[in-house]
């Protein structure tokens, strides 16, 4: 008998299962749900809807309760939301504030201390604070570095749990740890009645009653020249008209993800005058006929979020439904299409354009997207008229601008100043001058991505359209002032490390470009030709503004600070 014949002879004939032969015991496929974890997740969610767009909100519930998110909780959440484990896992791992514990890994310590390492905090020795904490904190405490938390005027900043410590020291952080002082302090009192007594919501009421026309509001915005104050600077009136021109239903989304290092103006307005912002939001929703409004607030602003929750509840019945959503630590979500993805409960990956959000936005509906400060000014501009707004300004510019100023000045903070003010005027008239022992040397006119200019270029009006020819832009008007005590190349490296860490990774020019730039910038002698080629590739080929603008500080240092490269010239 051949081997082939022997093989065939040994095969048993097929028998139908259940007809005289027992079927082998089946093995469950896929990840198994732990009953205990399932019960915990269901208890946390309670009666909350299980919609996909609430995935990030539900992840926050788990993170807040257990200080981490285990694989068992992820699987249970996927089960109750009827999502695949992969969908939940990819979203949870995208955001920095979700601490994922994979199977077999040890639990994360119950208390986390975050130390901001962005530029202004680094200038005020946050690296030394971080190193000291890492070597001194006891068991049960984890110390990690964090990107900008929006408190640059109080640098350096440390976060113990969810409690932010201003001008943090090793002593104040240790005291907060020992006292378990881990929750935000809500000291601000918002007088809703005073806002009403001062004419609050009268403009909104006149619009809703028909006393004032929508066209009259749009005309004022057009004539005022108000532009988006989150960084892009798109004309507000034109944006509102574009959304109105799309077939309904329409939605509105508010970008409160103020993550640009050096920027903190939105935080101030949300915590001190939230109803002016809310009225502007409701006016915008009325103009574009949006029945639902989604307000996205960065996770680093727990006080602002709590204030909004409290004050939204005071609004009169009627009008659009307001959804307050919480970010989770992703700078990229400040980009408008990434914001929409996050609002839908997904990773914050930028969308390809076109179509644009005003055409196909949140949940595929035409969507009006505005920044917090832009909406904050709506009531004043419409009530007082474009003449009032345009009466402000310097050096040929018009309007007001909220400059977030930090760094080597005596009085950092949000400075409401005429648009077009120069850096020299801003420092001397609004910030009390330079710190003692520091000589003005350089400045960032528009946050981390806005470039770096030398002190000699101190007469440029700080406004839209005035800085582009110098390789910079005003962006969100985040001004960081550097002195002769600061390392300019080190500052550029700090900013590039931020972009490397915050890149969403979707496109190669940004993902790999920022990584390669950091590697090249860490060398004692910069290869300027290679860095220039890399910067150009990132600008030309990146999907969104993060990669396109990440190299601005780098190219500015090579262009305006030749003295920083004397070592290279000497070597050659």
């Amino acid at each position: 008998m051949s081997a082939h014949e022997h093989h065939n002879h040994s095969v048993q004939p097929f028998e139908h299962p259940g007809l005289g032969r027992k079927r082998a015991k089946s093995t469950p496929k896929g990840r198994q749900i732990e009953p205990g974890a399932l019960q915990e997740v269901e208890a946390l969610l309670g009666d909350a809807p299980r919609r996909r767009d609430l995935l990030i909100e539900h992840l926050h519930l788990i993170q807040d309760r257990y200080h981490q998110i285990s694989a068992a909780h992820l699987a249970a959440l996927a089960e109750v939301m009827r999502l695949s484990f992969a969908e939940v896992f990819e979203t949870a791992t995208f955001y920095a504030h979700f601490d994922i514990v994979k199977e077999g890994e040890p639990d994360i310590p119950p208390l986390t201390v975050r130390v901001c390492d962005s530029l202004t905090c680094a200038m005020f020795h946050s690296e030394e604070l971080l190193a000291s904490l890492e070597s001194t904190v006891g068991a049960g405490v984890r110390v990690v570095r964090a990107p900008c938390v929006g408190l640059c005027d109080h640098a350096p900043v440390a976060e113990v749990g969810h409690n932010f410590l201003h001008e943090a020291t090793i002593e104040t952080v240790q005291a907060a740890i020992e006292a378990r002082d881990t929750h935000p302090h809500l000291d601000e009192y918002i007088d809703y009645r005073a806002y009403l007594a001062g004419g609050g919501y009268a403009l909104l009421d006149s619009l809703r009653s028909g006393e004032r026309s929508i066209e009259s509001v749009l005309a004022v915005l057009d004539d005022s020249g108000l532009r988006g104050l989150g960084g892009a600077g798109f004309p507000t009136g034109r944006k509102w008209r574009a959304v109105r021109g799309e077939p309904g239903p329409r939605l509105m989304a508010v970008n409160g993800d103020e993550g640009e290092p050096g920027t903190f103006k939105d935080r101030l307005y949300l915590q001190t005058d939230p109803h002016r912002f809310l009225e502007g939001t409701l006016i915008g929703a009325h103009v574009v006929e949006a029945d639902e409004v989604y307000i996205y607030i960065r996770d680093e602003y727990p006080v602002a979020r709590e204030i909004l929750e409290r004050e939204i509840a005071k609004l009169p019945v009627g009008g659009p439904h307001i959804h307050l959503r919480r970010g989770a630590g992703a700078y990229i979500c400040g980009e408008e299409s990434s914001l929409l993805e996050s609002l839908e409960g997904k990773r914050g990956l930028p969308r390809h354009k076109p179509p644009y959000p005003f055409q196909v936005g949140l949940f595929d509906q035409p969507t009006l997207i505005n920044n917090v400060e832009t909406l904050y000014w709506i009531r004043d501009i419409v009530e007082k008229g474009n003449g009032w707004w345009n009466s402000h300004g310097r050096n040929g510019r018009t309007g007001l601008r909220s400059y977030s100023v930090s760094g080597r000045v005596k009085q950092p903070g949000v400075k409401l100043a005429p648009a077009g003010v120069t850096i020299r005027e801003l420092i001397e008239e609004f910030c009390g001058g330079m710190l003692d022992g520091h000589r003005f040397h350089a400045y960032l006119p528009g946050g981390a991505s806005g470039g770096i200019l030398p002190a000699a270029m101190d007469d440029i009006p700080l406004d839209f359209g005035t800085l582009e020819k110098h390789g910079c832009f005003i962006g969100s008007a985040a001004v960081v002032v550097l002195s002769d005590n600061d390392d300019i190349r080190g500052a550029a490296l700090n900013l590039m490390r931020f972009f490397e860490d915050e890149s969403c990774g979707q496109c190669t020019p940004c993902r790999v470009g920022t990584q390669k730039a950091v590697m090249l910038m860490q060398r004692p002698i910069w290869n300027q030709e290679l860095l220039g080629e890399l910067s150009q590739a990132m600008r030309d080929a990146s999907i969104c503004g993060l990669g396109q603008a990440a190299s601005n500080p780098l190219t500015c240092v090579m262009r305006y600070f030749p003295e920083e490269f004397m070592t290279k010239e000497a070597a050659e």
Side-chain angles (χ1 to χ4, degrees), residues 231-253:
F234 194 85
T236 303
R238 191 192 308 175
K239 177 181 285 190
W240 289 20
R241 289 184 185 277
V243 176
R244 274 182 59 84
E246 295 294 315
R250 309 179 191 96
L251 298 173
M252 182 176 183

Side-chain angles (χ1 to χ4, degrees), residues 5 13 72 114 137 203 211 218 288 300 310 343 360 376 416 425 452 459 471 479 509 543 547 551 557 561 563 566 569:
E5 289 172 328
R114 290 183 167 88
V137 297
L203 174 59
E211 179 183 348
L218 292 170
V288 302
E300 292 85 349
R310 187 182 63 193
L343 282 170
V360 180
Y376 177 87
L416 184 60
E425 294 168 338
I452 304 177
D459 58 348
V479 179
I543 290 175
S551 63
V557 169
F561 298 89
E563 69 277 6
M566 292 300 292
E569 293 172 4

Side-chain angles (χ1 to χ4, degrees), residues 172-252:
T172 59
V173 174
Q174 288 178 330
I177 292 172
E178 293 172 5
R180 284 301 188 260
D181 188 8
T182 60
H183 291 83
H185 297 275
L186 185 58
D187 299 324
E188 289 82 355
Y189 170 71
I190 307 301
D191 194 335
Y192 177 55
R193 293 183 178 180
Y195 183 78
L196 293 178
Y201 294 106
L203 174 59
L204 176 65
D205 291 341
S206 68
L207 272 171
R208 288 177 172 175
S209 68
E211 179 183 348
R212 181 186 288 268
S213 69
I214 289 175
E215 179 55 38
S216 69
V217 172
L218 292 170
V220 171
L221 294 180
D222 288 337
D223 294 340
S224 70
L226 177 66
R227 300 172 67 168
L229 299 173
F234 194 85
T236 303
R238 191 192 308 175
K239 177 181 285 190
W240 289 20
R241 289 184 185 277
V243 176
R244 274 182 59 84
E246 295 294 315
R250 309 179 191 96
L251 298 173
M252 182 176 183

Side-chain angles (χ1 to χ4, degrees), residues 24-183:
K25 187 176 180 179
S26 62
T27 301
K29 305 298 183 183
R31 187 176 298 273
Q32 300 308 296
I33 309 301
E34 295 183 13
L38 183 62
Q39 185 177 11
E40 290 168 345
V41 168
E42 288 182 330
L44 280 175
L45 269 57
D47 296 330
R50 271 57 168 170
R51 300 193 315 267
R52 170 61 194 263
D53 62 289
L54 291 172
L55 174 57
I56 294 172
E57 294 295 307
H58 296 341
L59 287 167
H60 274 301
L61 292 175
I62 301 173
Q63 176 73 40
D64 291 344
R65 173 64 180 83
Y66 297 102
H67 310 293
Q68 63 181 31
I69 304 177
S70 67
H73 281 139
L74 285 178
L77 183 60
E79 175 74 11
V80 300
M81 296 190 70
R82 298 185 179 278
L83 297 172
S84 70
F85 182 84
E87 289 177 289
V88 176
F89 182 82
E90 71 174 6
T91 298
T93 53
F94 181 85
Y95 295 93
H97 289 184
F98 295 139
D99 295 319
I100 310 302
V101 180
K102 300 176 183 177
E103 292 179 347
E105 292 183 344
D107 286 348
I108 292 172
L111 179 60
T112 295
V113 175
R114 290 183 167 88
V115 179
C116 178
D117 68 351
S118 290
L119 180 57
T120 304
C121 282
M123 291 164 60
F124 287 87
H125 311 295
S126 64
E127 287 291 341
E128 290 88 335
L129 175 61
L130 179 68
S132 298
L133 288 171
E134 288 175 334
S135 63
T136 58
V137 297
V141 180
R142 178 181 62 149
V143 179
V144 298
R145 59 180 67 242
C148 185
V149 296
L151 288 164
C152 314
D153 49 338
H154 298 289
V157 178
E159 181 187 7
V160 179
H162 291 296
N163 178 24
F164 291 89
L165 302 180
H166 300 179
E167 292 86 39
T169 64
I170 184 70
E171 293 78 16
T172 59
V173 174
Q174 288 178 330
I177 292 172
E178 293 172 5
R180 284 301 188 260
D181 188 8
T182 60
H183 291 83

